[in-house]
Amino acid sequence: MRLHRNLVYAVIDSLRDVFNEEVYADKAVEKALKRDKRWGARDRKFVAETIYDIVRWKRLYAEIANVKAPYSRPDLWRLFVVWCVLRGIKLPDWNQIEETPTRRIKGKFDELSQIRKFRESIPDWIDELGVQELGEEVWTKEIAALNKKADVILRTNTLNISKESLQKQLRSENIDTEFVKGCDDALRLVERANVFKTEAFHNGLFEVQDASSQLVASYLDVEPGMKVVDTCAGAGGKTLHLASLMKNKGQIIAMDIYESKLKKLKIRARRNKVHNIDTKVIDSTKVIKKLHGKADRVLIDAPCSGLGVIRRNPDSKWKLQPEFLDNIKEVQQKVLQQYSKMVKPGGKLVYATCSVLPSENQQQVEFFLASDEGKDFTFVKDHKVLAHQFGFDGFYMALLERK
């Protein structure tokens, strides 16, 4: 591979933004890809994948390069050089690239690869927490799986097309896919491609959604004609899946504290030809109280640490703090206590997170069921999705029924 200055400069600038300016990696990549309209697909792929790669392995590379945050520009170049050496990429004779001790870099890599927190490039506290909650053996396998590059998974919009027909249409647009075992509506891209430019996407035939995330809506056991509330809808990936499962019949109330996210959901719903969704901004407790005892089904896709999805958000490892985790657990229990009141007698509730930690998952459900609000509910079943077992994101979902 031959390195090009303008592409590498874009990578270095983006790393500075992510590491020193707290910019989210996806936003940094988005900005970088707008730098030069002349870049082709290979150029764009190099920029995006290199940024994500160095962000993912930051701790390991920083230890090898012997640099510490905040990173100066020469430090960022040293991180880039480590990335190149470990991938066997020939380094050009540029002023920014110092004399490179290739053997020392490889030797240090071999040495550090024996220590999990360096090998998997994670903060000490996350490593200790993972062992504490999942045990040494399971955590070692799980964090390794969570550091693998995420596949691109599509969810067929079965309102408009079958999975088999979508596969054929995408093939006609030079995108090859394969079925995903255990996930009825999913297709996995054989090779990464910009699916958002396809005719199939513009016609609302699919959404991009990880296979694990696709399991949640199905877990709610919805039927056409029901009244369903998605309490933490966000931009609506699971809301749209619920609409498909309900065949556009009945009512889905998509709620969120952020109006901007619900506006994105409306745009997606139009493209998907979904018309049974009403959106409501949670701007007071009145919105919740009006729905007490009214819903056949309630989905609580609760805010969480996001540890199950770090393969697609590698910078979250560096942004996450212990205090946030403590606070988010309080929020999770609060939403369970409040939003569960919307379930009518005989109705069902799913509590879900994209975390692999029992303290955010089954322990929250146990605490809720032991509380005054939870005494009217019975535990039906739960599903712990671990990345090293399923091959996709880490997730949790529990199904409860109101007596």
Side-chain angles (χ1 to χ4, degrees):
M1 176 193 287
R2 183 166 166 263
L3 297 173
H4 299 276
R5 280 183 197 268
N6 57 345
L7 301 180
V8 177
Y9 289 170
V11 168
I12 297 295
D13 289 344
S14 299
L15 293 174
R16 176 204 61 211
D17 291 347
V18 175
F19 295 152
N20 295 350
E21 307 297 331
E22 295 291 308
V23 174
Y24 286 102
D26 59 341
K27 298 298 180 191
V29 169
E30 193 180 312
K31 179 183 172 185
L33 295 181
K34 290 177 180 173
R35 280 172 71 136
D36 195 332
K37 291 178 181 177
R38 295 169 299 176
W39 288 348
R42 285 179 64 182
D43 297 332
R44 297 166 68 81
K45 182 181 178 184
F46 170 83
V47 170
E49 292 190 357
T50 307
I51 293 167
Y52 276 122
D53 229 20
I54 296 174
V55 169
R56 181 173 283 112
W57 304 110
K58 178 185 82 164
R59 183 173 189 185
L60 176 63
Y61 292 174
E63 196 73 20
I64 293 171
N66 195 26
V67 296
K68 287 182 170 59
Y71 301 108
S72 66
R73 201 159 184 85
D75 287 343
L76 294 170
W77 276 97
R78 290 180 190 113
L79 292 176
F80 178 73
V81 164
V82 170
W83 178 84
C84 289
V85 169
L86 294 177
R87 270 154 192 75
I89 296 169
K90 187 181 178 183
L91 291 165
D93 184 19
W94 296 349
N95 293 338
Q96 297 89 343
I97 296 175
E98 303 163 351
E99 191 175 332
T100 308
T102 302
R103 285 182 64 184
R104 192 192 69 79
I105 288 172
K106 290 179 178 177
K108 194 72 176 169
F109 173 79
D110 291 340
E111 177 192 326
L112 294 172
S113 293
Q114 305 304 310
I115 306 163
R116 185 180 51 230
K117 63 186 180 182
F118 293 120
R119 179 178 69 245
E120 305 302 346
S121 199
I122 43 174
D124 287 359
W125 76 270
I126 291 182
D127 191 43
E128 289 159 11
L129 184 66
V131 171
Q132 180 187 321
E133 297 221 10
L134 294 174
E136 193 89 32
E137 186 181 346
V138 172
W139 173 244
T140 298
K141 292 176 183 174
E142 188 64 7
I143 189 58
L146 289 172
N147 265 327
K148 290 178 180 170
K149 192 188 298 180
D151 289 321
V152 178
I153 309 293
L154 312 181
R155 179 186 59 76
T156 310
N157 179 9
T158 53
L159 290 174
N160 299 335
I161 197 169
S162 70
K163 181 171 67 175
E164 293 74 15
S165 297
L166 174 60
Q167 188 177 49
K168 286 179 185 173
Q169 178 154 341
L170 287 169
R171 194 174 292 135
S172 74
E173 298 192 57
N174 299 315
I175 294 176
D176 287 327
T177 61
E178 56 191 22
F179 295 165
V180 176
K181 187 179 178 183
C183 205
D184 293 344
D185 302 328
L187 289 173
R188 186 184 77 85
L189 264 62
V190 175
E191 287 185 19
R192 298 182 81 84
N194 187 352
V195 294
F196 299 112
K197 287 187 174 179
T198 62
E199 191 178 327
F201 177 75
H202 290 294
N203 290 336
L205 304 186
F206 68 83
E207 288 289 328
V208 175
Q209 185 179 9
D210 187 76
S212 298
S213 178
Q214 292 187 39
L215 300 175
V216 176
S218 305
Y219 215 67
L220 196 55
D221 189 28
V222 295
E223 293 175 14
M226 283 183 168
K227 184 167 191 160
V228 177
V229 182
D230 185 354
T231 61
C232 307
K238 296 177 185 70
T239 317
L240 295 170
H241 193 186
L242 287 168
S244 290
L245 295 170
M246 293 166 68
K247 298 180 168 48
N248 240 342
K249 296 171 183 173
Q251 182 191 23
I252 301 172
I253 300 171
M255 312 177 79
D256 203 273
I257 58 174
Y258 299 109
E259 188 176 9
S260 58
K261 291 185 177 181
L262 295 176
K263 284 180 179 175
K264 289 179 183 175
L265 167 54
K266 287 180 182 178
I267 294 167
R268 294 172 77 185
R270 280 197 294 273
R271 190 183 64 248
N272 279 256
K273 300 178 179 64
V274 169
H275 49 70
N276 67 335
I277 297 172
D278 294 320
T279 59
K280 286 192 190 309
V281 181
I282 304 173
D283 52 9
S284 72
T285 54
K286 288 179 184 175
V287 181
I288 309 296
K289 286 176 181 175
K290 283 181 181 177
L291 289 166
H292 279 186
K294 301 276 179 66
D296 296 292
R297 301 284 187 269
V298 170
L299 172 59
I300 301 175
D301 183 20
C304 68
S305 64
L307 276 176
V309 294
I310 56 174
R311 60 170 64 194
R312 63 187 69 256
N313 300 308
D315 53 321
S316 65
K317 291 188 288 186
W318 317 120
K319 291 182 169 61
L320 192 63
Q321 297 296 328
E323 312 84 66
F324 174 83
L325 197 55
D326 293 336
N327 292 336
I328 210 67
K329 287 176 192 174
E330 289 182 22
V331 173
Q332 289 164 352
Q333 195 54 226
K334 187 177 177 182
V335 297
L336 249 176
Q337 299 279 340
Q338 290 183 348
Y339 299 169
S340 60
K341 294 175 184 176
M342 292 186 271
V343 183
K344 71 183 188 184
K348 294 177 181 177
L349 159 74
V350 162
Y351 170 80
T353 75
C354 54
S355 174
V356 295
L357 300 178
S359 62
E360 294 186 83
N361 298 334
Q362 51 267 47
Q363 288 174 25
Q364 290 285 25
V365 173
E366 288 164 10
F367 189 89
F368 169 70
L369 291 171
S371 71
D372 286 341
E373 293 299 341
K375 69 181 185 298
D376 293 333
F377 286 83
T378 53
F379 174 83
V380 179
K381 59 181 179 176
D382 68 356
H383 186 25
K384 307 169 194 71
V385 184
L386 293 175
H388 78 273
Q389 293 172 343
F390 188 44
F392 301 98
D393 290 345
F395 251 84
Y396 175 80
M397 56 211 80
L399 180 65
L400 311 178
E401 187 169 4
R402 187 160 200 166
K403 298 171 190 173

